[in-house]
Amino acid sequence: MDGSRILSQATAHAVAFLKGLAHRDVGATARAGELRDSLERSLPELGTRAEQVLDELVHDVEGGIVASTGPRFFGWVMGGALPVALAADWLTSTWDQNAAVYATSPAEALIEEVTGGWLKELLGLPPQASFAFVTGCQMAHTTALAAARHRLLSDRDWNVETKGQAGAPPLRILTSEDRHASINRAVRLLGLGTDAIEPLSCDEKGRIQLAALEDALQKSPSRPTVLCLQAGELNTGAYDRFRQACTIAHAARAWVHVDGAFGLWAAASEKYRHLTDGVELADSWAADGHKWLNVPYDSGFVFVADPAAHQAVFAEQTGHASPTASGAQDTRNQMDWNPEWSRRGRAVPVYAAIRTLGRSGIAEIVERNCAHATRLVNEIGNLPGAEILAEPIINQGLVRFRAANSDHDGDHDAHTDRVIARIQSDGVAWFGPVTWCGKRAMRISLSNWRTTDADIDLTVASIKAALAHCDWVQGSPPGF
Ligand SMILES: Cc1ncc(COP(=O)(O)O)c(C=O)c1O
């Protein structure tokens, strides 16, 4: 009844998975139809033994598990769960606390309070900023933009929480033409409409052009405006010039939000901190734990320099925010800052990861990943037919593969896709394709604590083999 048998069984499965992680195919090996055949069963009328359910679950999903938590997954931006963060996540589920308010779990509330403070210190943010632990950067953007909307409209005598948006002064979102699409989704979700987005042109380093920012602000000086900057652009890792951009935007009474999903973690490293210079001048920030902090999904953070604007979005005026049954006056009710009501205690793995690594351990992961990204991009760039499109500023870079005997971009695009497909099917490492500045490219992203020099060696050898194979069959369609 205490569940010890099934939990031991789950532990055995988990340990076996983690032990095999570095040796399994990195990508999924089963097709959707095969997975459906394994998993699809008619709705059971009668129950099945728990041990059997668990064994069969592990068996049935096998080919559909991507080793993105392993050392040679270089797609998108993904971390891998640190063992201590995973263990703390198990405990979070075991305790099964509702992290809605202080009264439902004083421990969870205090863990959030402490961890929120640590995060602000690590990321170089103002100590008075409010914060919330959300599912990821997507919800962090949504929360931050809701706080921005509150402040910008209430400064114009419009209470958007009571009156809604119809009839309110229309907001404008100034942001990079190379922004992450989660900004668009936050804008849509808040009902601001993507027509409110005015993309600003970027320089060759992927940073917003300050002259374009000044022009846009001058054109409609009275329009309530949010400027979204980036600490770490997805393809190049570019950082905006926060100090200058914040000064310009604040002179026009604009709110500045920073997408720092992974790149804000550069602030934890002495070597890379300069990239975030002036970031503390912004009004809100979004970052992820499930990327560079290497905690399990779902782990995102939002910080707001104006706690009153943040709280105005979520805090009910009707009672729960008042002192709880414990009588504690100085405690924090998470749902006054979070979009969710009931939820898991998602700060627990973050607390465990930060305590285990310390600032120096986090900096070591950041610096090792950045060094490996540079090495990988340069070693790929030295292979015949390969071309570097973006050398890493931090942990992200781009390469492409040129078709032999052709001057046509279309041929290079097709060849790049072929090489990527071959690397994926070899199973040693995994990269994804992207179209960047009109060219097909392979994105290289490193944010996993597990990646070692030996993994980079194995990866380069696999890319070399894939290139040799594709040169040999050049001209045939992808999908071999
Ligand atoms: C720059 C950037 N912003 C936002 C996001 C969205 O983050 P999440 O998937 O945690 O919601 C990502 C995800 O890769 C990202 O790279």
Side-chain angles (χ1 to χ4, degrees), residues 24-98:
R24 62 185 290 141
D25 273 5
V26 179
T29 53
R31 291 176 194 277
E34 292 168 320
L35 284 170
R36 202 170 286 119
D37 286 347
S38 304
L39 289 162
E40 210 166 45
R41 293 174 163 88
S42 50
L43 173 70
E45 277 313 319
L46 299 176
T48 304
R49 257 186 343 107
E51 290 79 5
Q52 182 186 339
V53 171
L54 209 63
D55 281 343
E56 288 180 359
L57 176 65
V58 170
H59 175 267
D60 294 347
V61 300
E62 174 54 26
I65 296 291
V66 175
S68 50
T69 197
R72 293 186 303 282
F73 185 88
F74 305 117
W76 295 283
V77 192
M78 297 205 188
L82 290 157
V84 71
L86 171 62
D89 207 51
W90 286 359
L91 288 175
T92 307
S93 293
T94 309
W95 294 328
D96 195 20
Q97 302 287 281
N98 186 342

Side-chain angles (χ1 to χ4, degrees), residues 334-347:
Q334 299 95 305
M335 61 182 281
D336 290 348
W337 312 93
N338 264 77
E340 305 92 346
W341 197 294
S342 301
R343 66 181 176 91
R344 69 189 275 103
R346 55 172 86 94

Side-chain angles (χ1 to χ4, degrees), residues 76-77 135-139 141 180 182-183 230-234 259-262 288 290-291 297 299-300:
W76 295 283
V77 192
T135 47
C137 225
Q138 175 68 77
M139 282 317 290
H141 291 329
H180 192 269
S182 51
I183 294 283
Q230 291 194 91
E233 194 271 331
L234 181 59
D259 179 353
F262 57 95
D288 269 326
H290 53 222
K291 292 187 169 67
Y297 296 97
S299 185

Side-chain angles (χ1 to χ4, degrees), residues 267-466:
S269 150
E270 261 182 52
K271 184 166 177 197
Y272 291 100
R273 189 170 304 142
H274 65 278
L275 294 167
T276 63
D277 176 59
V279 80
E280 70 282 0
L281 302 174
D283 300 287
S284 57
W285 304 263
D288 269 326
H290 53 222
K291 292 187 169 67
W292 237 342
L293 187 61
N294 282 270
V295 302
Y297 296 97
D298 315 89
S299 185
F301 322 119
V302 59
F303 307 90
V304 182
D306 177 348
H310 185 178
Q311 202 175 31
V313 177
F314 296 116
E316 285 287 328
Q317 308 304 315
T318 50
H320 80 80
S322 59
T324 56
S326 71
Q329 297 286 336
D330 61 345
T331 54
R332 181 177 181 273
N333 286 317
Q334 299 95 305
M335 61 182 281
D336 290 348
W337 312 93
N338 264 77
E340 305 92 346
W341 197 294
S342 301
R343 66 181 176 91
R344 69 189 275 103
R346 55 172 86 94
V348 180
V350 180
Y351 178 92
I354 295 176
R355 269 206 71 195
T356 304
L357 293 170
R359 196 201 297 263
S360 61
I362 297 170
E364 189 278 325
I365 295 175
V366 167
E367 290 168 19
R368 173 160 45 94
N369 286 157
C370 292
H372 280 151
T374 300
R375 199 189 133 200
L376 197 45
V377 166
N378 286 324
E379 291 192 19
I380 296 171
N382 286 335
L383 297 175
E387 182 191 357
I388 298 174
L389 293 184
E391 263 198 63
I393 297 169
I394 43 167
N395 63 327
Q396 307 287 112
L398 295 172
V399 295
R400 74 165 172 165
F401 304 102
R402 299 173 69 89
N405 308 320
S406 171
D407 281 335
H408 291 116
D409 269 337
D411 292 337
H412 302 323
D413 288 353
H415 193 58
T416 298
D417 277 342
R418 257 197 299 274
V419 177
I420 295 171
R422 180 71 196 183
I423 297 166
Q424 288 180 357
S425 73
D426 280 349
V428 173
W430 203 99
F431 299 89
V434 60
T435 300
W436 187 75
C437 294
K439 291 176 180 161
R440 207 67 175 145
M442 183 170 93
R443 189 194 289 134
I444 290 159
S445 170
L446 277 93
S447 47
N448 191 309
W449 69 278
R450 287 190 165 93
T451 307
T452 62
D453 279 334
D455 291 307
I456 304 298
D457 294 342
L458 280 172
T459 301
V460 174
S462 155
I463 296 171
K464 209 168 166 179

Side-chain angles (χ1 to χ4, degrees), residues 1-7:
M1 289 303 276
D2 63 2
S4 57
R5 260 196 35 211
I6 193 88
L7 291 177

Side-chain angles (χ1 to χ4, degrees), residues 403-404 411 414-415 418 469-478 480:
D411 292 337
H415 193 58
R418 257 197 299 274
H469 176 91
C470 291
D471 283 345
W472 180 60
V473 294
Q474 198 177 352
S476 64
F480 33 76

Side-chain angles (χ1 to χ4, degrees), residues 146-213:
R149 175 178 63 180
H150 171 88
R151 173 55 59 225
L152 291 168
L153 293 184
S154 71
D155 283 354
R156 289 160 177 84
D157 298 324
W158 189 274
N159 184 335
V160 70
E161 279 70 39
T162 54
K163 288 183 170 174
Q165 219 151 253
L171 252 69
R172 164 175 68 163
I173 317 291
L174 297 177
T175 179
S176 161
E177 56 192 358
D178 296 328
R179 67 193 169 278
H180 192 269
S182 51
I183 294 283
N184 299 16
R185 283 163 45 100
V187 166
R188 282 158 50 189
L189 203 57
L190 289 170
L192 301 173
T194 46
D195 285 353
I197 296 179
E198 284 182 29
L200 299 173
S201 54
C202 293
D203 64 13
E204 72 297 341
K205 290 185 173 161
R207 307 174 302 184
I208 278 176
Q209 305 250 25
L210 297 175
L213 170 62

